[in-house]
Amino acid sequence: AQSVTQLGSHVSVSEGALVLLRCNYSSSVPPYLFWYVQYPNQGLQLLLKYTSAATLVKGINGFEAEFKKSETSFHLTKPSAHMSDAAEYFCAVKTSYDKVIFGPGTSLSVIP
Amino acid sequence: ETGVTQSPTHLIKTRGQQVTLRCSSQSGHNTVSWYQQALGQGPQFIFQYYREEENGRGNFPPRFSGLQFPNYSSELNVNALELDDSALYLCASSPREGGAEAAFFGQGTRLTVV
């Protein structure tokens, strides 16, 4: 069975500071990993995905994530936070024949 | 290329009633999944439809049921509504069942049960 944990239900950063949102997964087979963002009262938007082609994945809006098999991690980073990055971020995992399983989410606040 | 669209956007129902939520999948996508997202939580998988058949189900009781139509659009039906069914219901479509493709989500239907 697969599962996802996200350390820190709420993260605050200053505008211009590094954003680091943590995600660890559990999977018995090689996983596909995703980060989604959700703005208030909206659906989920795909930020990036890892599908084994490259361990460092670049996504939209300047975000990237690195797959580390030894640490079972897929942390999301952005070098410089912008006010518009304030949102809820979800890490998710799936395997070829399973369904997408989401983590509990991390709420990102950006302080001016 | 159209995205995933859901209707209605908001709905208020009384406990014990039945509700039907609708989803049109993204063009070219034949797989539809439904998720329930309670306030402050991550989405929880309800079920998935592929080629008009249910293809996997999460931990939800039988009063949650669904349909997929030949044009790949889908419905989620919930009978005997309970207060705890209040949530954002998200529909997601993907190009095919399985594989590495990401799911693309609609804006959701906010259901409030009173």
Side-chain angles (χ1 to χ4, degrees):
Chain A
Q2 311 151 77
S3 65
V4 177
T5 56
Q6 293 181 242
L7 185 62
S9 59
H10 189 89
V11 170
S12 290
V13 299
S14 298
E15 190 175 16
L18 171 72
V19 176
L20 171 60
L21 304 182
R22 299 179 186 274
C23 171
N24 289 88
Y25 69 90
S26 171
S27 178
S28 57
V29 296
Y32 303 122
L33 295 161
F34 309 87
W35 275 99
Y36 286 87
V37 61
Q38 185 176 37
Y39 297 100
N41 299 313
Q42 293 192 24
L44 302 172
Q45 180 182 6
L46 179 68
L47 275 177
L48 50 80
K49 66 178 182 180
Y50 165 77
T51 59
S52 77
T55 56
L56 183 63
V57 182
K58 294 188 184 298
I60 63 172
N61 301 339
F63 284 94
E64 62 182 37
E66 186 173 9
F67 173 70
K68 291 187 176 180
K69 184 178 179 180
S70 60
E71 299 177 7
T72 61
S73 69
F74 189 57
H75 301 330
L76 182 72
T77 60
K78 182 174 180 177
S80 177
H82 192 273
M83 295 298 293
S84 61
D85 294 327
E88 190 84 16
Y89 291 80
F90 293 95
C91 182
V93 63
K94 76 185 290 283
T95 60
S96 286
Y97 299 101
D98 282 325
K99 313 304 176 271
V100 180
I101 304 298
F102 286 87
T106 297
S107 177
L108 175 66
S109 298
V110 182
I111 304 165
Chain B
E1 179 177 286
T2 59
V4 178
T5 58
Q6 293 186 241
S7 62
T9 55
H10 294 82
L11 202 53
I12 300 175
K13 288 286 190 178
T14 303
R15 189 172 49 183
Q17 285 188 311
Q18 179 265 343
V19 68
T20 297
L21 310 182
R22 294 179 174 82
C23 171
S24 294
S25 59
Q26 186 160 319
S27 177
H29 289 189
N30 61 15
T31 302
V32 173
S33 302
W34 286 91
Y35 290 81
Q36 181 195 66
Q37 185 179 19
L39 201 61
Q41 297 183 24
Q44 299 293 314
F45 174 72
I46 302 175
F47 43 55
Q48 181 183 85
Y49 277 82
Y50 172 64
R51 293 184 176 179
E52 303 177 51
E53 298 280 337
E54 187 179 291
N55 178 41
R57 187 180 184 91
N59 218 15
F60 281 81
R63 59 190 185 84
F64 285 78
S65 63
L67 284 173
Q68 186 180 32
F69 301 98
N71 66 355
Y72 305 132
S73 65
S74 177
E75 287 182 355
L76 165 66
N77 299 289
V78 187
N79 294 321
L81 284 167
E82 301 177 359
L83 297 180
D84 284 349
D85 295 333
S86 296
L88 181 67
Y89 288 84
L90 296 164
C91 170
S93 73
S94 49
R96 61 181 176 90
E97 183 267 345
E101 287 81 6
F104 291 87
F105 284 80
Q107 298 289 78
T109 294
R110 173 73 64 187
L111 173 65
T112 302
V113 182
V114 297

